[in-house]
Amino acid sequence: MGTYLNPSNGRFLQAVNSKIYIDKSQLISFTNEKINTEQKNICVSRPRRFGKSINLAMLAAYYSKGCRSKKIFNDLSIANDTTYFKHLNKYNVIYINMQDFWTGSNDIEDMVQRLEKQIFNELTEEKPDINLDPDDNLSFWMEDFYIATKRKKPFVVLIDEWDCVMHEEINSIKLYLDFLRNWLKDKEYIALTYMTGILPIKKYGTHSALNMFDEYSMLESDGLEKYIGFTNEEVFGLCEKYDVDFEQMKAWYDGYELNGTDLYCPRSVVKAVSSKKFSGYWTETETYEALAKYIAMNFDGLHDTIEKLLANQPQPTDTRTFSNDMITFTNKDDILTLLVHLGYLGYNPNNQTVYIPNKEIADEFVVSMKATGLWKETIEAVTLSRKLLADTLQKNAEAVAQAIEKIHDSNSSTINYSNEQSLRFIILIAYYYAKEQYEIVQELPTGKGFADIVFIPKHNVDTAAYPPMVIELKWNNTAETAIQQIKNKNYPGKLKSFEKILLVGISYTKKVKDNKKHKCIIEEYTMN
């Protein structure tokens, strides 16, 4: 049993013994199907704090012949799988975190030498009788080791943070990729390779050294989604067990969706359940400067796109041009695609759009936007949004119109009204704070048409203080017309379970009267 060769099950045992542990051991059933097949090379990329290391520790505990893990796994779901005993603790496992070797290395060549030296030492300690030539490389040593065991004990290779060298400017990416290819590709001594990181590996320029890997990412999970984060069912179970508000949990940490499966950041959920407090736990591990650095790059109007995302408007994104590193960007789609892999954006493959997934991430965008100093008008609108909501609830229509007028004027350099959709963008930014109390739905089918924006109170909100609101927008028309349309088309009919509803008509006209272009009318509507 060594540090990197045939490790113990200690890391995984700590996870299982923790107060909050979600059983993801069915992942082993998936990897067992891939052992010694053409699909034995797997790369799973996902954001930090999404449980990559725990899954790797689990695989190490299960496959490593350096420990006995039956007592741990007997109580987990994998124990019911038909392949459970076939592979349990039967393999030579090499389990490394590439960041351990990259940190402190002078360059890629130095890192590779350090890694090879460590594995060479542990191979010779494991089998002193095997004559390994120190002048050879890792591939030859593992081949000789495998042959000396009469081909009975192939290797399972587990690599965490495989892509750490891609996070900064380096000149030897090809050298690193060639090392991994020569070590892992088409090798009989490899039974399984499971590699994790933030970035996918499909393309680095024209170099495709690692094309033997099947990839699973925040863009395409291909059946692995339930192992990438916590699912709706798992989080609901935790909330019930520890008496935590599930709807609040969804608002704060849900929003990543892969193949129809809702996913939550595991770290954030565990912290919220443990502390009974909702906050930006995941982003505590990522400084706001990290996000600010990327959104400050104003490729092709990226700033306008970020503002629309903040206003809950998904944006089309072409993910195909992304170079899969953190330094090569040619357009705004490359930045947006990176933010998907980093977990700052969600991705909808059905319409190829990106979106801000939840409140935790939305708050991080606001903090990062403040840091750049480039979104002063938008930040001012967000700051004003708390008072705007209060004025709306108090039916202070004059104050609401003035606030929207101010927000539009300050954003007029980037937001020029041409239709009701443009007006809607300003409204959604202006009511940013309302997302804490309301689910905000655009184009809600109700009555005889579609209500522009509907604010539905969250289940734990006092509806006497925060009643539902129906907002109708009119461009080059009147607020009175907006209110009348709400009534004529019976938009409140969708909200019949509520006793009181606020009807809000907001209009914009180019015909300036009394220096006011925006008008607002607010009426209280009783369903009876």
Side-chain angles (χ1 to χ4, degrees):
M1 182 174 67
T3 303
Y4 303 105
L5 175 66
N6 295 331
S8 72
N9 53 27
R11 292 185 188 178
F12 183 57
L13 185 58
Q14 288 179 6
V16 174
N17 287 340
S18 298
K19 176 182 176 181
I20 298 173
Y21 170 71
I22 297 293
D23 182 358
K24 296 287 186 178
S25 63
Q26 278 300 316
L27 173 63
I28 297 170
S29 176
F30 172 83
T31 55
N32 282 349
E33 291 178 0
K34 309 298 182 182
I35 284 182
N36 288 321
T37 70
E38 291 297 317
Q39 293 75 43
K40 65 183 179 181
N41 296 302
I42 300 165
C43 181
V44 180
S45 60
R46 48 182 157 162
R48 288 191 176 94
R49 307 307 177 188
F50 265 70
K52 298 188 298 291
S53 297
I54 289 179
N55 279 353
L56 277 174
M58 177 182 70
L59 295 177
Y62 176 77
Y63 289 116
S64 174
K65 62 185 286 291
C67 57
R68 294 292 175 263
S69 302
K70 181 179 176 180
K71 288 184 178 180
I72 301 176
F73 288 101
N74 273 353
D75 294 328
L76 302 180
S77 60
I78 186 59
N80 299 316
D81 192 272
T82 56
T83 64
Y84 173 49
F85 288 111
K86 180 179 180 180
H87 302 287
L88 179 63
N89 300 133
K90 299 288 177 61
Y91 294 87
N92 288 303
V93 169
I94 292 179
Y95 177 23
I96 61 175
N97 186 321
M98 201 63 74
Q99 185 70 55
D100 293 343
F101 295 96
W102 178 235
T103 300
S105 296
N106 298 319
D107 49 35
I108 293 292
E109 188 173 4
D110 183 32
M111 182 192 76
V112 170
Q113 288 177 353
R114 292 175 63 195
L115 187 154
E116 289 191 323
K117 178 181 179 181
Q118 186 65 45
I119 301 301
F120 174 83
N121 290 339
E122 295 198 16
L123 286 171
T124 53
E125 288 173 8
E126 180 82 5
K127 293 283 186 182
D129 55 321
I130 299 178
N131 244 349
L132 299 181
D133 186 347
D135 293 328
D136 280 340
N137 60 36
L138 183 56
S139 178
F140 285 115
W141 298 330
M142 289 176 63
E143 179 84 35
D144 292 344
F145 193 96
Y146 174 59
I147 292 173
T149 60
K150 299 181 180 178
R151 292 181 166 83
K152 291 182 179 179
K153 293 184 176 64
F155 288 88
V156 169
V157 177
L158 307 173
I159 305 175
D160 201 2
E161 303 286 354
W162 86 270
D163 59 333
C164 61
V165 302
M166 313 298 175
H167 299 179
E168 50 193 278
E169 187 77 49
I170 59 173
N171 299 316
S172 305
I173 289 180
K174 183 178 182 300
L175 177 64
Y176 177 57
L177 298 180
D178 285 343
F179 160 70
L180 292 176
R181 180 195 61 199
N182 295 335
W183 176 22
L184 303 171
K185 187 174 182 178
D186 299 329
K187 303 300 183 183
E188 184 182 334
Y189 59 75
I190 298 287
L192 175 76
T193 301
Y194 191 98
M195 216 163 59
T196 69
I198 297 173
L199 299 172
I201 61 176
K202 190 170 290 184
K203 52 184 183 293
Y204 288 94
T206 59
H207 197 63
S208 56
L210 303 183
N211 58 5
M212 71 282 198
F213 276 90
D214 289 331
E215 295 185 76
Y216 305 85
S217 72
M218 298 301 283
L219 298 177
E220 298 180 15
S221 57
D222 202 20
L224 276 190
E225 52 275 350
K226 60 184 176 180
Y227 307 116
I228 288 178
F230 285 176
T231 65
N232 233 12
E233 295 76 13
E234 291 165 344
V235 173
F236 182 78
L238 287 175
C239 289
E240 278 203 321
K241 181 177 180 180
Y242 294 100
D243 192 26
V244 176
D245 190 301
F246 177 62
E247 292 302 321
Q248 283 271 68
M249 191 74 80
K250 282 182 68 69
W252 271 90
Y253 311 118
D254 190 14
Y256 304 97
E257 184 176 325
L258 292 173
N259 287 344
T261 299
D262 283 2
L263 295 178
Y264 300 67
C265 172
R267 173 186 167 84
S268 299
V269 171
V270 169
K271 294 281 283 185
V273 168
S274 300
S275 66
K276 302 290 184 70
K277 179 182 177 182
F278 299 103
S279 185
Y281 297 112
W282 174 64
T283 52
E284 286 177 357
T285 66
E286 304 286 326
T287 61
Y288 67 81
E289 291 93 342
L291 176 58
K293 180 177 88 170
Y294 296 115
I295 64 176
M297 300 178 183
N298 194 21
F299 284 112
D300 307 325
L302 176 63
H303 293 180
D304 295 346
T305 298
I306 297 297
E307 286 182 324
K308 291 174 182 176
L309 289 170
L310 199 65
N312 287 342
Q313 295 184 323
Q315 296 297 299
T317 302
D318 186 348
T319 63
R320 295 172 297 178
T321 62
F322 182 51
S323 296
N324 293 4
D325 61 40
M326 294 185 179
I327 54 178
T328 308
F329 307 107
T330 59
N331 53 57
K332 75 173 181 181
D333 287 343
D334 291 345
I335 299 290
L336 295 173
T337 304
L338 173 62
L339 295 182
V340 172
H341 291 299
L342 293 176
Y344 288 114
L345 293 176
Y347 179 70
N348 185 339
N350 297 323
N351 55 19
Q352 298 178 334
T353 59
V354 296
Y355 58 91
I356 295 177
N358 52 50
K359 176 172 170 50
E360 181 181 39
I361 301 301
D363 286 354
E364 184 73 1
F365 266 92
V366 172
V367 172
S368 298
M369 290 165 72
K370 288 180 181 178
T372 66
L374 300 173
W375 275 280
K376 293 180 181 179
E377 296 83 2
T378 303
I379 295 303
E380 182 179 5
V382 170
T383 303
L384 290 172
S385 66
R386 188 182 297 268
K387 184 177 185 303
L388 178 65
L389 177 60
D391 286 334
T392 306
L393 295 172
Q394 294 168 12
K395 301 189 287 293
N396 189 345
E398 181 68 21
V400 171
Q402 289 177 359
I404 294 172
E405 184 94 23
K406 181 178 181 179
I407 292 169
H408 172 250
D409 288 345
S410 64
N411 282 273
S412 60
S413 61
T414 55
I415 304 298
N416 294 311
Y417 290 163
S418 59
N419 51 37
E420 288 169 14
Q421 183 67 24
S422 302
L423 176 58
R424 180 182 302 173
F425 166 74
I426 287 293
I427 298 303
L428 290 169
I429 284 288
Y431 282 96
Y432 174 85
Y433 172 74
K435 290 187 289 185
E436 294 191 11
Q437 290 79 25
Y438 292 95
E439 178 186 356
I440 302 175
V441 183
Q442 302 179 56
E443 295 290 342
L444 179 69
T446 176
K448 301 175 183 178
F450 295 84
D452 280 340
I453 309 173
V454 177
F455 290 62
I456 303 174
K458 295 179 179 178
H459 91 288
N460 61 329
V461 167
D462 179 6
T463 57
Y466 297 97
M469 300 189 297
V470 178
I471 297 181
E472 185 66 22
L473 309 174
K474 288 299 175 185
W475 178 77
N476 263 353
N477 212 315
T478 67
E480 290 83 359
T481 302
I483 291 291
Q484 197 58 49
Q485 179 172 320
I486 294 174
K487 296 176 180 178
N488 290 345
K489 295 192 175 182
N490 191 28
Y491 291 161
K494 193 77 171 181
L495 305 169
K496 58 186 178 182
S497 62
F498 297 94
E499 182 177 342
K500 182 178 72 173
I501 301 171
L502 289 185
L503 311 184
V504 183
I506 299 174
S507 67
Y508 170 82
T509 178
K510 291 182 178 179
K511 297 178 181 179
V512 180
K513 184 178 180 181
D514 301 326
N515 293 321
K516 298 176 183 177
K517 298 187 285 289
H518 293 82
K519 289 291 183 68
C520 176
I521 295 176
I522 303 173
E523 292 186 8
E524 185 173 307
Y525 184 89
T526 302
M527 292 303 296
N528 293 335

